Amino acid sequence: MAEDNPDEPETSKLIAPADFDGPTKNRRCTDVFCSLLLVIAWIAMTGIGAYAVTNGDYRFVLFPIDYDGNICGTDFGDVDMTDFEYFYFINIFTGGVCVKECPSIEENLTDVHTLVTYGGLFQTDDAFLPADAIEIGNYSTAEGAITCTDLTCYPNGDPELSYTSIGVNKGRGYAFYALDTFEALKRCIPTEDAFDEMQNQTGSTGDSLSMGDDGQNFFTRLYADFWTARWYILGFGFGVSLVVSFSYLLLLRVKCVLGIMVWGSIFITIGMFFAAGAYAFTEAQAWEDAVPKTATDDEILGARIASYVLWGIGGVLLLLLCFFRKQLQLAMGTVKETAKALVTMPMIIFLPIVQSVGFIAFMIIWTVYAVFLASLGDFTTTTIDITPDVGFELPEGFETPQVTVRQFVFDDFTQQSGWYLI
C-alpha cells in the first residue's frame, strides 16, 4: 500500500490546526418559527391530554357496553358485570349482553335451539347445549329486558319460523342463536363457518347480516384498537425497525453490497413496469382470441392501453436512469463514505436506539391521552321497533315489541380533539 506523500495535497491526510475547534461557534437554531410551532403543538396536546385524563374513564374504551348501558367486566352501570367481561352480539343494531366467556361450540358449530336473549338464555327441548353453557349477566332488573317464549321466538318448534319470529326477526330482534365464536377486543365474534351452519339450519341462506360491530364511536374503536395492539406497534415500531436499521448499517460496510442493493432495486422496479405491461397485453390478446369471448371490447381495449402506458412508464424510468446515472453514483459514493465513518465511530449505530426510546415515550403518553379522550362521550339510548317480516302477523294481544341499544356519542370539541391527536 502506498504511503501518503506530504508533497502531494491530493493524497496527504488533512491535519487540523492546533487552534481549530470545528464549526461549534457558528451552530444555532436555523428554524425558530417551526420550533415554536412544535412547542405549541406539544402544549396543546398536553392540555387536551390533561383534560381527558381528568374527566375521562378508560373503561368506556377498553371494555364493551351492553344494551342496558353496563360496561362488561366492570361494576359500572346498574348491574355488576365484573365477572362477565365479554360481549355477545344479539342483533345488527349493536345490541348485546355481557357473558362470562365467549361460546365455543365444537359440535355442529351452532345450537339453533339455544338462544341468547336480552333476558337470559332460552332453550327448547331439542337444545343439545347444557343450560349453563353460556353464562349471561343478570338482566332481570334491566329496563329493556325481554325474554323469549315458544310463541315469540320458536313457533311450532320450527327453526325456519324461529328465524322470522318476533324475537329473532332475522337478526333484528332481542334474541339470537348460540354460535361458535372467537374473542376480539372482548367481543365474541361468530366464526364464518358457524354463521353458515346457522343459516343452513334456519333456511336463511342468502341473508346478509353483520354481527361484529358494537355501538361505540369511530374514535372509541380506533383508540381501543391502538391500545389492544400496543405491543405489536411497539414490537414492529421499535424491535423490528431496530434490527433492520442495525442490519442495514452493517451491510453498508460490506463491499459491493450497497451497489447491489441500489442498482438491484432500480432495475427490479423498472422491470416490474415492463412485466406488468406484458401481462396486460397478453391478457388482452387472450381475451380477444377467446371463443366465446369472456370480456367486452372495452375491457380488451382498456387492457391493451394499460399495457402501452406501463411500457411507456418503464421506458421513461429507463431514460431517467441513463441521464442520472452519475448522480446516483455520487450518492452511492457518499453513502460508502458514511459507512466508513461508522467504522471509526461505532457508537453512532446506537442512534436508532435513542430515537426508538424517544418514540416509545411519546407513544405511551399519546396512547394514554387518546384512550381517555375517547372515553369523553355520553350514552344515548335508542329504542327500535321490531317490524316483523312481511306477511307475519303478531299474535293476538301482542303489541309491536321494541329493542333497546346503547351508543356512545361525542360532542364537537371531543371529535375535533380526536382528529388533532391523530
Side-chain angles (χ1 to χ4, degrees):
M1 181 179 293
E3 296 183 356
D4 295 332
N5 187 350
D7 297 329
E8 297 181 10
E10 294 183 357
T11 60
S12 61
K13 293 182 179 179
L14 293 176
I15 301 176
D19 59 346
F20 181 75
D21 59 356
T24 54
K25 291 183 178 180
N26 297 323
R27 287 180 179 173
R28 59 186 178 84
C29 181
T30 58
D31 203 333
V32 178
F33 179 71
C34 286
S35 299
L36 182 61
L37 289 180
L38 181 60
V39 171
I40 292 174
W42 283 347
I43 293 174
M45 172 182 163
T46 304
I48 292 174
Y51 174 79
V53 172
T54 303
N55 297 280
D57 187 335
Y58 69 93
R59 295 179 300 179
F60 286 105
V61 177
L62 302 184
F63 297 91
I65 304 169
D66 67 10
Y67 77 90
D68 192 42
N70 305 296
I71 300 180
C72 300
T74 74
D75 59 356
F76 183 92
D78 295 332
V79 182
D80 186 352
M81 294 294 178
T82 304
D83 295 330
F84 303 89
E85 58 181 313
Y86 300 99
F87 180 83
Y88 191 90
F89 291 94
I90 289 180
N91 54 51
I92 63 173
F93 307 121
T94 70
V97 295
C98 299
V99 296
K100 198 165 190 177
E101 294 180 350
C102 288
S104 177
I105 306 175
E106 297 181 359
E107 182 180 353
N108 296 331
L109 300 176
T110 180
D111 183 357
V112 296
H113 295 277
T114 297
L115 286 84
V116 181
T117 79
Y118 273 19
L121 201 66
F122 172 82
Q123 293 183 296
T124 69
D125 294 336
D126 294 325
F128 65 81
L129 287 178
D132 59 351
I134 304 176
E135 297 185 58
I136 306 173
N138 183 9
Y139 288 94
S140 58
T141 59
E143 183 178 348
I146 311 176
T147 56
C148 274
T149 65
D150 289 336
L151 183 61
T152 57
C153 294
Y154 235 99
N156 301 328
D158 188 342
E160 294 190 11
L161 292 179
S162 168
Y163 185 74
T164 56
S165 67
I166 299 174
V168 179
N169 196 25
K170 296 184 176 182
R172 296 167 176 81
Y174 51 84
F176 205 72
Y177 308 102
L179 302 172
D180 183 49
T181 61
F182 64 92
E183 184 267 333
L185 295 176
K186 300 293 184 179
R187 280 81 171 166
C188 302
I189 310 298
T191 64
E192 184 176 350
D193 290 339
F195 216 91
D196 291 342
E197 180 63 25
M198 179 276 297
Q199 290 188 316
N200 288 333
Q201 293 188 34
T202 58
S204 58
T205 303
D207 275 7
S208 178
L209 296 177
S210 178
M211 291 281 191
D213 193 11
D214 60 14
Q216 292 177 311
N217 184 276
F218 165 76
F219 289 109
T220 307
R221 298 195 302 270
L222 175 65
Y223 294 137
D225 290 345
F226 276 132
W227 177 264
T228 303
R230 62 191 183 280
W231 299 120
Y232 295 100
I233 295 173
L234 292 177
F236 285 96
F238 174 70
V240 175
S241 63
L242 190 63
V243 172
V244 172
S245 61
F246 271 129
S247 303
Y248 181 72
L249 289 175
L250 292 174
L251 285 174
L252 290 180
R253 300 166 60 179
V254 181
K255 189 176 181 179
C256 299
V257 169
L258 179 62
I260 293 173
M261 292 173 61
V262 173
W263 293 112
S265 61
I266 290 174
F267 283 116
I268 288 174
T269 301
I270 296 175
M272 289 174 61
F273 280 97
F274 283 108
Y279 175 78
F281 185 84
T282 302
E283 284 295 304
Q285 193 64 40
W287 291 344
E288 188 173 33
D289 296 339
V291 179
K293 282 189 175 182
T294 58
T296 65
D297 292 337
D298 290 339
E299 291 173 335
I300 295 172
L301 179 61
R304 187 167 282 120
I305 292 175
S307 68
Y308 297 148
V309 171
L310 290 169
W311 283 337
I313 295 174
V316 171
L317 291 177
L318 195 57
L319 290 174
L320 290 174
L321 175 62
C322 295
F323 288 134
F324 292 105
R325 67 186 186 280
K326 290 185 178 180
Q327 285 78 2
L328 286 172
Q329 290 173 341
L330 177 61
M332 290 171 58
T334 303
V335 174
K336 287 181 180 179
E337 292 304 316
T338 303
K340 291 180 181 179
L342 293 175
V343 178
T344 58
M345 297 183 294
M347 291 299 293
I348 201 173
I349 65 176
F350 291 99
L351 178 61
I353 295 181
V354 177
Q355 293 175 325
S356 298
V357 170
F359 169 76
I360 290 175
F362 174 81
M363 285 303 301
I364 290 175
I365 297 172
W366 183 91
T367 301
V368 171
Y369 290 170
V371 168
F372 275 92
L373 179 67
S375 69
L376 294 178
D378 296 316
F379 280 122
T380 60
T381 302
T382 303
T383 303
I384 303 171
D385 290 338
I386 301 177
T387 304
D389 195 19
V390 177
F392 183 91
E393 295 183 2
L394 289 171
E396 186 176 351
F398 277 84
E399 297 181 356
T400 301
Q402 297 176 325
V403 293
T404 301
V405 295
R406 297 296 182 103
Q407 293 180 317
F408 216 43
V409 296
F410 298 95
D411 57 26
D412 291 339
F413 171 76
T414 304
Q415 293 189 48
Q416 292 168 3
S417 298
W419 283 117
Y420 176 79
L421 287 186
I422 293 176

